[in-house]
Amino acid sequence: MKGIVQGRKDLPRVAVAGASGFIGQALGPVLSRDFDLIALSRAERRPTPGYSICRQVDLFSLSAATKALEGADLAVYLVHSMMPSARLVQGDFGDLDLLCADNFGRAAGANGIRRILYVGGLVPEGTELSEHLRSRLEVESALQSGGVPVTTLRAGMVVGSRGSSYQLLARLVRRLPLMACPEWTRTRMQPVALGEVVASIAELIHQGGEQTLCYDLGCGETLSYMDMMEATATSMQLRRRFIPVPFLSPGLSRLWVSLTTGAPKELVAPLIKSLRHEMLVRPHAHYRPALEAQESVEEMLASAREDEGPSRDEPRAFVPPSIHPAAESKVYSVQRLQPPEGADATWIADRYSQWLSGFMRGLIQIDSDTTTGEVHFVVRGTALKLICLQRLAERSSPDRQVFRVTGGLLARPSERGRLEFRQVLTGGEALAALQDFVPRLPWWLYRLTQGPFHAWVMERFRREVRGATVKNQPEESPCAALEEEA
């Protein structure tokens, strides 16, 4: 984590995760009137307008997140669909987002942050949520992992010139004179102007108290996505025809939207799946900032069009994250576990060691030293160590067990390479995460052998944990013994 430029110590400090996004950039000049702003970004960069400090941080690392929030009084979380900078990533985007949010919540608690403000998504009531919306809801809970009060602003489509949703809409309208509109385009929604989101954050960040709060943002108009496309065409002074069709599955819709707009499928897929839900505000939770006047749909589209200007540069969400050469050979693998009631991270780590020894019987044995915290994956009947781990007692606790990768025939020693088991969402679920792992095998061989094998083993372990029951801890539980010594 690196800091650039010194801030103003006479004002309360607000750390903004996702400051380089389109909401974060618009927030800077407004929030800087009353606060000293720290921009948190995965890449090293100069501060954008309004921010006095820019800190480079990897939110997949709890220690890095904790260091990045040092000196802050409040925090704003604008991160969505975060992907680690690695050559191979195994795991659903929801699990990756959950890990980042849990790290941020714990780091906020460790730094005494007074409140976190999070911009999430509208949550339809009385229906099964899409993976995308379910992830937004989980992030709300995960941010509370450190005991810090969270204020959530739930919003549907945020209309701003650099917003990914608006850009998808604008590119479809701009590039297709005739558009076949599947059923999901008739779904009702309430967009919100970027300025209204920024004004709401600026008002609510001043909020005190220890209560966790949740508000919905949206304009006073209710319209369908087809209506929104027609309004966009009007704002661009384009004549377009929109023809309702009873076909075009979500899969085909994802394909043609991605091909037409140039947006990556990783961005389009979760959004299309969510469009079956009506994105409407809850009347009892509708928040309206103290603006002189609320923008109509026509006004917010006109503002976005004006801000867009002649430049047609790719929005950041449309550009796949670049991989730093030093991180090219790294691996991230995150799997969600559903441990039985009463199981903590110590139980999960012990269960993994015991289960793997039995599952790989005849091939691999697990040697653990409760005195040193070393764990070795050894070829049975030999002294060949495939992977060596070292339990980090200072970073481990009953709800989080962390092991550093120290080497072996299949792994290069790495200061950041680690395997951890962590309880999340108030302990009801858990994550198994292999992070910053550097294989010793040639990359092409790793992708064909060790990488898929690890994913398969973790899937089998996920099934094992889901069907397990908690009994009394064994007397020789390696992690439990080390917990007592620590």
Side-chain angles (χ1 to χ4, degrees):
M1 186 277 294
K2 300 178 181 179
I4 304 174
V5 184
Q6 293 301 313
R8 296 173 56 187
K9 297 182 179 180
D10 58 319
L11 294 176
R13 278 190 165 182
V14 178
V16 181
S20 59
F22 87 108
I23 296 179
Q25 290 189 40
L27 184 62
V30 175
L31 216 55
S32 62
R33 300 167 189 166
D34 300 309
F35 299 97
D36 180 37
L37 300 186
I38 304 172
L40 304 183
S41 173
R42 79 159 71 199
E44 185 175 355
R45 62 179 75 239
R46 300 296 301 177
T48 53
Y51 294 92
S52 59
I53 302 173
C54 185
R55 293 176 178 174
Q56 183 182 4
V57 57
D58 175 14
L59 289 179
F60 287 96
S61 166
L62 176 56
S63 60
T66 302
K67 190 173 182 181
L69 289 177
E70 287 180 357
D73 302 296
L74 301 156
V76 178
Y77 195 78
L78 304 173
V79 175
H80 298 300
S81 300
M82 190 73 159
M83 293 292 288
S85 297
R87 195 169 179 180
L88 175 63
V89 178
Q90 298 173 334
D92 296 333
F93 77 88
D95 296 343
L96 297 168
D97 272 2
L98 179 58
L99 179 59
C100 288
D102 191 72
N103 279 337
F104 196 85
R106 291 173 185 247
N111 279 284
I113 299 293
R114 297 200 302 269
R115 178 168 291 276
I116 298 172
L117 195 145
Y118 166 59
V119 178
L122 289 174
V123 179
E125 297 180 332
T127 182
E128 183 179 353
L129 299 179
S130 68
E131 185 181 3
H132 181 249
L133 294 180
R134 188 167 59 249
S135 173
R136 296 287 184 93
L137 194 58
E138 287 181 342
V139 168
E140 291 184 21
S141 299
L143 289 173
Q144 301 174 41
S145 59
V148 177
V150 176
T151 295
T152 299
L153 291 174
R154 295 177 178 174
M157 178 185 291
V158 179
V159 180
S161 62
R162 305 301 293 169
S164 56
S165 295
Y166 170 78
Q167 280 294 326
L168 285 172
L169 192 73
R171 291 184 181 204
L172 285 173
V173 170
R174 189 180 293 122
R175 297 176 182 181
L176 295 176
L178 179 66
M179 192 181 308
C181 297
E183 185 176 355
W184 57 261
T185 61
R186 270 92 79 190
T187 305
R188 297 187 304 161
M189 45 89 82
Q190 288 176 268
V192 61
L194 173 61
E196 188 167 331
V197 175
V198 169
S200 300
I201 295 174
E203 287 183 5
L204 291 172
I205 197 68
H206 292 274
Q207 223 170 27
E210 299 180 357
Q211 188 177 7
T212 289
L213 304 168
C214 181
Y215 302 102
D216 290 357
L217 298 180
C219 68
E221 303 174 56
T222 299
L223 63 165
S224 69
Y225 287 97
M226 190 186 303
D227 295 334
M228 192 70 178
M229 287 189 287
E230 290 176 342
T232 302
T234 300
S235 74
M236 294 179 175
Q237 299 182 339
L238 296 173
R239 296 183 62 183
R240 294 292 184 261
R241 287 194 63 189
F242 303 94
I243 304 175
V245 295
F247 52 89
L248 279 182
S249 66
L252 289 175
S253 296
R254 292 196 297 271
L255 179 61
W256 70 259
V257 169
S258 185
L259 290 175
T260 303
T261 63
K265 63 180 181 180
E266 293 81 7
L267 170 65
V268 174
L271 291 177
I272 293 294
K273 289 181 180 179
S274 299
L275 294 182
R276 71 175 188 270
H277 297 298
E278 291 194 334
M279 305 298 284
L280 306 176
V281 301
R282 298 166 296 167
H284 65 278
H286 194 177
Y287 186 83
R288 292 291 185 90
L291 300 174
E292 293 183 2
Q294 300 293 316
E295 286 188 90
S296 66
V297 171
E298 290 74 17
E299 289 171 332
M300 66 177 73
L301 287 171
S303 296
R305 176 65 177 160
E306 182 179 347
D307 292 342
E308 192 177 20
S311 174
R312 297 285 170 82
D313 294 337
E314 292 283 347
R316 292 183 68 252
F318 281 38
V319 181
S322 59
I323 299 175
H324 192 278
E328 284 189 353
S329 61
K330 292 182 179 179
V331 177
Y332 274 72
S333 183
V334 180
Q335 288 79 30
R336 186 178 302 220
L337 307 175
Q338 294 178 318
E341 185 178 354
D344 59 10
T346 302
W347 181 92
I348 297 172
D350 290 339
R351 185 80 177 197
Y352 178 70
S353 178
Q354 297 161 9
W355 171 82
L356 190 60
S357 294
F359 183 68
M360 299 298 295
R361 60 184 178 276
L363 296 176
I364 297 174
Q365 67 184 45
I366 313 296
D367 293 341
S368 301
D369 189 326
T370 58
T371 302
T372 64
E374 295 179 349
V375 180
H376 299 152
F377 294 68
V378 182
V379 176
R380 190 173 295 276
T382 74
L384 297 177
K385 298 177 181 178
L386 299 178
I387 296 178
C388 300
L389 305 175
Q390 171 72 52
R391 182 180 178 277
L392 302 180
E394 70 280 4
R395 296 187 183 180
S396 296
S397 60
D399 70 340
R400 181 173 181 251
Q401 293 293 313
V402 186
F403 302 83
R404 186 166 65 89
V405 180
T406 58
L409 294 176
L410 298 178
R412 295 187 183 278
S414 169
E415 189 63 33
R416 290 174 54 85
R418 60 201 182 277
L419 170 68
E420 74 168 89
F421 301 93
R422 175 193 304 203
Q423 289 180 280
V424 292
L425 302 177
T426 66
E429 298 193 32
L431 295 176
L434 180 67
Q435 302 182 70
D436 282 306
F437 179 81
V438 183
R440 193 178 290 276
L441 292 176
W443 186 253
W444 66 269
L445 185 57
Y446 175 84
R447 288 295 302 265
L448 291 174
T449 57
Q450 188 180 347
F453 181 74
H454 172 76
W456 177 71
V457 167
M458 295 309 297
E459 170 60 24
R460 295 298 297 267
F461 180 60
R462 185 182 67 83
R463 299 179 190 177
E464 163 71 16
V465 169
R466 185 172 56 189
T469 57
V470 176
K471 300 178 182 179
N472 292 332
Q473 288 284 351
E475 294 182 3
E476 295 300 326
S477 169
C479 292
L482 287 166
E483 290 285 358
E484 293 177 1
E485 292 178 10

